[in-house]
Amino acid sequence: MRVLVTGGAGFIGSRFVRQLEARGADKILIYDNLHPQVHGKDAIPPTFGPKVEFVNADIRDATQLKAIVANFAPTAVAHLVSETGTGQSYDEISRYVEVNVSGTAYLLEAIRALPRQLDWFLLTSSRAVYGEGAYVDSTGQHVSQARRFGTDMSAGRFQVYGRDGSALTEVPSASVTTQPDPLSIYASTKLMQENLVDNALSLTSTRLLVYRFQNVYGAGQSLINPYTGVLSIFIARLLNGLPIAIFEDGEISRDFVYVDDVVEAMMLGAMSAVVPRRPMDVGAAVSTRIYDAAVTLAKLAGKHDFAPSISGEFRPGDIRHAMADISYTHSLLDWSPKISFEEGARRLFTWAAESIKK
Ligand SMILES: NC(=O)c1ccc[n+]([C@@H]2O[C@H](COP(=O)([O-])OP(=O)(O)OC[C@H]3O[C@@H](n4cnc5c(N)ncnc54)[C@H](O)[C@@H]3O)[C@@H](O)[C@H]2O)c1
């Protein structure tokens, strides 16, 4: 097994590479430009064992990418390179499209030029493709592609409302039941990645492993990227004695899934023979209010009386609730998340506090 891992120096990618190393890959090539927004200036790549080679290169450099893919001759590819900030994606639309969409296109062209078809191709997509996600109305009818409007939000009406004006109730989202409805530039680029991969490879013998991750968190996530990772942003603020303000009315919720659980789902797909027909949802399948997450982290920081403030403000691209229905992923991979939010938050906090001290 010769695996090309784009974005293999990143938070999820580096964990995945370590598992590939430990569980049977013969050779791994990481293709990553050590993006300064994620890794800081003058970053050095993470250290791996002798099976792993690292190339510092940009996914947008189609010529170099093609030459490196041809020379390495992978038998499998995991594509993780991405610009990842929802809010930032509105201000840097062309960069997000170049890296996420054109980058994927260049990679697929390089792969299609190989003399042998890949065993598997893994894409790390996002639950962002669902937009607001799945809801039911007061009669129990399933509603997807629900929207929130600036006019409601400016008036402090932050819930998701149905056509009759009554608030809808959130239910877990899954590729099997929920229509995509990307509501940010980032989300649109992730859906486009999925479409390109499907179009370019679904009629080959390559197994396509497309994952839609919820909020992945854990030790090793970037502590300097201001555009992603709400929990690490909170920890940095807590440790620096800064206040935390929660957007909207404090009721926003997310499905936080620990990175080791995510990487296990990736490994199970890669190492098995499953041929998924749809993207696989990966989350803890637990809804956590952002407010409660902040309080949990504050307690870990020894601030037992800490209460975040509620800002009443809202941001473009922020959706109200997110939670995965993981039954399809479980049925395919026999995978279930194992790490509770309390345990994962403790691990992240301990690691982040140590790293910030250094
Ligand atoms: N972390 C999450 O909560 C989450 C949720 C859903 C989906 N995902 C997806 O998972 C994947 C990995 O996310 P992550 O959290 O590990 O992010 P990350 O930022 O830690 O990793 C991305 C890696 O890609 C590299 N990179 C960025 N632009 C590049 C370019 N132009 N050329 C070459 N390399 C480049 C970065 O240096 C970094 O090492 C992404 O595709 C992301 O969209 C992550």
Side-chain angles (χ1 to χ4, degrees):
M1 193 181 11
R2 298 171 63 79
V3 190
L4 171 70
V5 183
T6 79
F11 168 43
I12 301 170
S14 55
R15 279 284 222 296
F16 182 58
V17 167
R18 291 219 160 80
Q19 285 298 313
L20 284 171
E21 252 187 314
R23 286 156 75 175
D26 301 304
K27 198 88 201 138
I28 300 156
L29 179 68
I30 295 175
Y31 189 104
D32 194 303
N33 73 347
L34 297 178
H35 191 346
Q37 183 173 304
V38 178
H39 297 275
K41 269 206 259 162
D42 307 320
I44 46 162
T47 353
F48 297 99
K51 287 180 191 173
V52 184
E53 222 181 294
F54 176 83
V55 183
N56 187 335
D58 198 300
I59 200 83
R60 290 167 293 184
D61 186 340
T63 312
Q64 188 178 15
L65 179 62
K66 195 166 190 176
I68 285 169
V69 171
N71 185 46
F72 181 64
T75 60
V77 172
H79 181 36
L80 285 87
V81 159
S82 189
E83 290 285 354
T84 59
T86 303
Q88 188 185 36
S89 71
Y90 289 91
D91 299 324
E92 304 203 36
I93 300 174
S94 53
R95 187 155 69 88
Y96 271 67
V97 170
E98 282 159 19
V99 173
N100 295 2
V101 179
S102 299
T104 302
Y106 300 142
L107 178 61
L108 291 168
E109 282 174 358
I111 288 167
R112 285 179 61 94
L114 290 170
R116 176 188 180 284
Q117 294 187 357
L118 298 178
D119 294 335
W120 51 263
F121 181 99
L122 185 157
L123 177 71
T124 52
S125 185
S126 167
R127 70 75 53 213
V129 303
Y130 296 127
E132 292 291 353
Y135 281 81
V136 289
D137 66 17
S138 52
T139 67
Q141 284 277 51
H142 201 86
V143 180
S144 62
Q145 300 182 324
R147 292 284 169 105
R148 296 194 295 167
F149 298 95
T151 42
D152 284 333
M153 310 257 274
S154 304
R157 286 163 44 86
F158 296 116
Q159 295 189 64
V160 180
Y161 299 99
R163 287 216 182 98
D164 65 357
S166 57
L168 301 172
T169 306
E170 70 274 18
V171 292
S173 298
S175 67
V176 199
T177 50
T178 315
Q179 285 298 316
D181 187 26
L183 294 179
S184 69
I185 305 295
Y186 169 68
S188 292
T189 63
K190 295 307 283 185
L191 186 59
M192 188 67 173
Q193 287 188 330
E194 290 187 12
N195 290 341
L196 292 175
V197 167
D198 186 53
N199 297 157
L201 298 177
S202 65
L203 292 181
T204 67
S205 61
T206 301
R207 288 190 306 116
L208 297 188
L209 304 165
V210 177
Y211 292 88
R212 289 180 179 164
F213 299 155
Q214 299 277 329
N215 275 56
V216 187
Y217 74 104
Q221 85 184 90
S222 177
L223 294 171
I224 59 164
N225 189 345
Y227 299 101
T228 57
V230 61
L231 301 182
S232 55
I233 291 171
F234 283 177
I235 291 174
R237 293 189 72 81
L238 284 165
L239 293 174
N240 290 313
L242 297 170
I244 290 179
I246 310 287
F247 287 105
E248 303 185 11
D249 55 0
E251 295 299 319
I252 300 176
S253 68
R254 293 290 181 269
D255 179 339
F256 292 107
V257 60
Y258 198 77
V259 63
D260 292 351
D261 282 330
V262 171
V263 167
E264 185 57 19
M266 294 165 72
M267 286 302 296
L268 287 170
M271 306 306 270
S272 68
V274 291
V275 184
R277 303 293 177 203
R278 310 202 53 96
M280 293 175 280
D281 291 277
V282 171
V286 173
S287 167
T288 302
R289 285 198 318 159
I290 301 276
Y291 187 97
D292 296 337
V295 171
T296 302
L297 294 173
K299 284 194 180 131
L300 289 166
K303 299 177 193 230
H304 292 275
D305 298 330
F306 177 86
S309 63
I310 309 290
S311 78
E313 290 169 14
F314 61 94
R315 300 181 300 183
D318 258 0
I319 52 100
R320 180 75 171 169
H321 298 295
M323 184 164 67
D325 169 352
I326 53 174
S327 45
Y328 178 65
T329 313
H330 175 76
S331 71
L332 276 179
L333 304 178
D334 195 20
W335 167 86
S336 302
K338 298 202 167 49
I339 298 165
S340 68
F341 183 69
E342 287 64 33
E343 170 60 17
R346 194 191 56 70
R347 290 189 198 180
L348 169 61
F349 184 86
T350 309
W351 169 82
E354 272 302 304
S355 311
I356 287 171
K357 238 196 284 168
K358 278 185 201 157

